[in-house]
Amino acid sequence: KNNLKQKLFCQMNILKQKYLALKPKQLINSFSSLSNYFFLGSKIIFLFESFIVKFYIFTKNLVKKSVMENLKEIVSKFKIADEINEVKPLGEGLINDTFKVFVKGDENPKYVLQRINNAIFQDVEMLQDNIEKVTNHIRKKLIAKNENDIERKTLNFIRTKDDMKFYFDGSKYWRLMKFISDSYTYQAVTPEYSYTAGLAFGEFQSMLSDIDDCLGETIPSFHNIELRLRQLRDAVDNDAVGRAKE
């Protein structure tokens, strides 16, 4: 170690003597050369960073294009006569992946494509069968009431070319429905929106009170009100985060 220190010390002294021996003009030229090297190095770094950014954008656009083409291919599996223009993400759903489908000659979306989360809804056939039964029942009741604009008040699913209620691509499940224009999804929870949602849910339950079709249970106990009330009472009794008095 001592020998290494001595060698380094000697080298530093030699460099020091060389720079001290330089005349002012030579010293300036020496520093100028160093500056050029630093400038060249920073320029190389800048060009490399620019390349990385451009490569990232190019790759991102390439992946996006590939995904869109794949989604267009999936839409083509359903019974529609329209030529698909593009497919874009829709909404902020937490369970399923939802996309709006645009067709040639129309600036507004015409269909909604949705990837069903089969990790949660493990029996997709039961799920779609339930939706069809519920939708048909509500549609019949609206027709009996002589309601207007029924197409906007019920979901309208489109079957695949194989007359299936959903399309399975080998790993994922997809469904297609008509897009309901001039409709909104509110993300904020306010007293006003909560009241309106409660009215809509109450009307929905009322219309299904006389349904004769047998519906399957897609998620066990998910809509078990007695269980949910018991869980709520237990949460209040335990008061894990001290909010019961609020």
Side-chain angles (χ1 to χ4, degrees):
K1 289 184 180 178
N2 291 331
N3 290 336
L4 181 61
K5 285 182 180 179
Q6 288 177 358
K7 287 181 180 180
L8 289 173
F9 183 75
C10 290
Q11 291 293 330
M12 290 175 66
N13 276 332
I14 291 170
L15 289 172
K16 181 180 177 182
Q17 294 298 327
K18 283 184 177 180
Y19 273 99
L20 289 175
L22 290 173
K23 295 180 179 179
K25 188 175 181 179
Q26 292 174 319
L27 195 60
I28 292 171
N29 290 337
S30 178
F31 280 116
S32 178
S33 299
L34 286 173
S35 299
N36 289 336
Y37 283 123
F38 281 121
F39 175 75
L40 181 61
S42 62
K43 191 173 182 180
I44 291 172
I45 293 172
F46 173 76
L47 290 173
F48 180 73
E49 289 177 346
S50 299
F51 169 76
I52 293 296
V53 171
K54 289 178 180 178
F55 180 75
Y56 170 76
I57 294 172
F58 171 77
T59 306
K60 185 179 179 181
N61 290 337
L62 194 65
V63 170
K64 184 178 178 182
K65 184 179 179 181
S66 176
V67 169
M68 192 177 82
E69 289 301 321
N70 184 49
L71 292 175
K72 288 169 69 175
E73 176 66 21
I74 290 169
V75 175
S76 71
K77 302 297 182 181
F78 292 84
K79 291 180 181 178
I80 59 171
D82 304 282
E83 184 180 352
I84 307 304
N85 186 23
E86 61 179 340
V87 182
K88 294 182 178 181
L90 172 64
E92 301 176 19
L94 300 176
I95 298 175
N96 303 310
D97 295 328
T98 310
F99 306 88
K100 49 189 174 182
V101 180
F102 295 82
V103 301
K104 296 286 186 182
D106 197 342
E107 61 181 15
N108 297 314
K110 189 171 182 179
Y111 304 104
V112 171
L113 175 68
Q114 196 167 56
R115 183 189 69 80
I116 303 169
N117 189 338
N118 57 303
I120 294 176
F121 301 108
Q122 297 182 7
D123 193 334
V124 175
E125 189 167 354
M126 179 194 290
L127 173 71
Q128 288 305 105
D129 189 55
N130 283 352
I131 291 176
E132 187 173 86
K133 289 175 180 177
V134 168
T135 303
N136 289 341
H137 182 77
I138 292 176
R139 185 180 289 110
K140 288 177 183 177
K141 299 198 83 168
L142 293 176
I143 292 173
K145 288 182 179 181
N146 292 319
E147 287 274 355
N148 297 320
D149 210 10
I150 293 176
E151 290 296 301
R152 289 177 51 78
K153 295 177 181 178
T154 59
L155 295 174
N156 293 276
F157 285 91
I158 299 167
R159 294 207 172 204
T160 67
K161 292 176 179 177
D162 297 331
D163 203 38
M164 298 289 292
K165 298 171 186 176
F166 57 86
Y167 171 67
F168 179 60
D169 66 4
S171 61
K172 300 180 181 67
Y173 295 83
W174 303 85
R175 60 189 176 195
L176 188 72
M177 67 199 88
K178 290 183 180 179
F179 180 82
I180 301 175
S181 59
D182 298 323
S183 57
Y184 300 91
T185 300
Y186 296 100
Q187 301 298 332
V189 178
T190 66
E192 180 187 359
Y193 295 157
S194 298
Y195 176 76
T196 305
L199 287 178
F201 184 70
E203 184 180 3
F204 176 77
Q205 293 284 67
S206 176
M207 294 183 77
L208 293 177
S209 61
D210 59 349
I211 189 170
D212 294 325
D213 293 306
C214 181
L215 302 177
E217 190 174 19
T218 52
I219 304 177
S221 296
F222 189 80
H223 291 293
N224 186 334
I225 301 301
E226 292 181 358
L227 172 65
R228 298 305 184 190
L229 286 173
R230 186 164 63 250
Q231 289 174 330
L232 176 62
R233 294 190 187 102
D234 290 343
V236 172
D237 291 340
N238 293 330
D239 194 18
V241 293
R243 293 175 55 189
K245 294 180 181 179
E246 293 181 5

